[in-house]
């Protein structure tokens, strides 16, 4: 697990403007001892632990081998996280993953061209066993060309998705872009709220 920018247990943090670019196209996918070459844990911004009042605004977040932004915490979880006016593109695994967090607002972002390592969603709300994700707002974002789909909620609670534009992509399949999602624009699992 590697993060270009890590915010762990911090309060009142703002990251604004500029570009964070991963090594997706230069990365050497050396096989592990089991032969696997997923290498999908190279993230650009990680918001972890008991972090509070974190605002990511107007940043171009591109070419991660994993997630553009990862929000994660189990016993100490991030709270009051705001992602606004960012451009998240060409990340391999997800645009944004929320594995553990409370009061997360994702608003007015462009999240697109997520593809390369499953599940390939624009936003993945996926608390693992013992993790909690609740009170999430996904509003006014523009999604397109996300191979898995745009938003998936496996077990998040009190999730509001409204006023977003969801576009599968170009109607003609071209190199690297397809017109069909693997799963769908918005996917809710039975245990999600």
């Amino acid at each position: 697990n590697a993060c270009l920018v890590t915010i762990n247990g911090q309060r009142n943090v703002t990251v604004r403007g500029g570009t964070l670019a991963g090594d997706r196209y230069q990365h050497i996918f050396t096989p592990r001892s089991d032969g696997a070459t997923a290498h999908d844990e190279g993230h650009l911004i990680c918001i972890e632990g008991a972090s509070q009042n974190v605002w990511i605004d107007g940043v171009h977040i591109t070419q991660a081998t994993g997630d553009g932004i990862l929000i994660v915490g189990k016993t100490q979880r991030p709270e009051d996280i705001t992602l606004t006016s960012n451009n998240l593109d060409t990340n391999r695994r997800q645009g944004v993953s929320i594995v553990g967090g409370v009061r997360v607002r994702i608003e007015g972002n462009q999240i697109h061209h997520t593809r390369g390592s499953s599940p390939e969603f624009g936003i993945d709300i996926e608390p693992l066993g013992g993790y909690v994700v609740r009170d999430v707002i996904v509003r006014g974002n523009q999604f397109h060309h996300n191979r898995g789909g745009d938003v998936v909620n496996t077990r998040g609670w009190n999730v509001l998705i409204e006023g977003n534009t969801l576009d599968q992509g170009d109607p003609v399949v071209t190199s690297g872009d397809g017109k069909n999602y693997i799963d769908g624009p918005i996917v809710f699992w039975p245990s999600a709220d």
Side-chain angles (χ1 to χ4, degrees), residues 20-74:
L20 297 175
D23 70 341
R24 175 182 182 150
Y25 297 113
Q26 296 81 30
H27 189 83
I28 299 170
F29 291 86
T30 304
R32 297 191 308 238
S33 59
D34 63 1
T37 58
H39 291 236
D40 60 358
E41 293 289 342
H43 313 302
L44 294 177
I45 298 178
C46 296
I47 304 169
E48 303 173 339
S51 295
Q52 294 181 349
N53 300 318
V54 176
W55 183 21
I56 311 298
D57 178 62
V59 182
H60 184 198
I61 300 166
T62 184
Q63 301 175 28
T65 59
D67 305 338
I69 298 174
L70 171 65
I71 302 169
V72 61
K74 190 172 183 177

Side-chain angles (χ1 to χ4, degrees), residues 113 115 145 147 168-180:
H113 289 91
R115 65 173 38 237
H145 294 90
R147 186 68 182 123
Q168 293 185 79
D170 299 329
V172 177
V173 176
T174 59
S175 177
D177 288 332
K179 68 175 185 173
N180 296 316

Side-chain angles (χ1 to χ4, degrees), residues 61 67-70 88 91 93-97 111 114 121-123:
I61 300 166
D67 305 338
I69 298 174
L70 171 65
L88 295 105
N91 297 300
R93 190 173 75 171
Q94 323 280 33
V96 178
S97 287
I111 304 172
T114 307
F121 272 83
I123 297 174

